[in-house]
Amino acid sequence: MDYYLFRLINDLSGHYRLLDMVMLWSSEYVTILLAFALFGFFIVGLKKRIYMKTALFTGAALIISMGIGYVIKGLFYRPRPFVEHDVNLLIIHNTASSFPSNHTLAAFAIGLGIFFFHKKVGSLLLLGAALIGLSRVYLGHHYPLDVFAGFSIALLVVFLLKKGMNKLEKGDRRHVAKRVS
């Protein structure tokens, strides 16, 4: 199923100039735009606390997610599609393990982290993250499962961090309530 989905997406590559340009641009530059969004939250956070909270939370999610991704990549080598198959490869890439997709992992860690605090901006970033994931398959660098794994790791990390943060904040509120009474 993974290879079948890969073929459906990658077989479009190289046949539609505009789509090729969009996918190349997405893979190369949307990740940078997401990083700028995170940096922007940090800068604005110097004046408004909620933005700093968003930036720190998202930064932690990004670091933890990427760390998990690198460990998995080191433990489970999966050849990239262009190593095992004849694919439409628009740009050259290294032959490091394909699983999970680091581009997708980072993009979703940022998009999901910001989404938990700012739904409108986060929704746009999540669209960008999805485009990155799609572009990685389109370009022949990853299988759909690699992209799904990147998304899943980021989702799990962000969910667990948010849950932990909510517990800490709830505990802080109880502590303050006890001091007041």
Side-chain angles (χ1 to χ4, degrees), residues 61-120:
L62 176 61
I63 291 167
I64 294 167
S65 295
M66 292 301 292
I68 292 169
Y70 280 113
V71 168
I72 292 171
K73 220 177 240 302
L75 292 174
F76 304 103
Y77 177 79
R78 182 181 194 192
R80 292 188 183 267
F82 62 84
V83 171
E84 292 192 312
H85 307 285
D86 184 27
V87 305
N88 297 321
L89 188 65
L90 294 182
I91 54 175
I92 297 170
H93 198 283
N94 67 47
T95 57
S97 181
S98 179
F99 184 83
S101 167
N102 286 333
H103 278 80
T104 306
L105 187 102
F108 275 106
I110 293 170
L112 289 165
I114 292 173
F115 178 80
F116 270 114
F117 295 94
H118 306 278
K119 302 290 186 242
K120 287 181 183 178

Side-chain angles (χ1 to χ4, degrees), residues 41 44-56 169:
F41 272 89
V44 175
L46 296 172
K47 297 271 185 194
K48 293 186 178 183
R49 187 169 181 225
I50 185 63
Y51 292 101
M52 182 59 76
K53 185 177 180 179
T54 303
L56 293 175
E169 288 176 346

Side-chain angles (χ1 to χ4, degrees), residues 11-24:
D11 283 349
L12 297 171
S13 181
H15 299 288
Y16 305 96
R17 185 172 165 78
L18 180 61
L19 189 56
D20 289 351
M21 289 183 344
V22 168
M23 291 298 165
L24 283 164

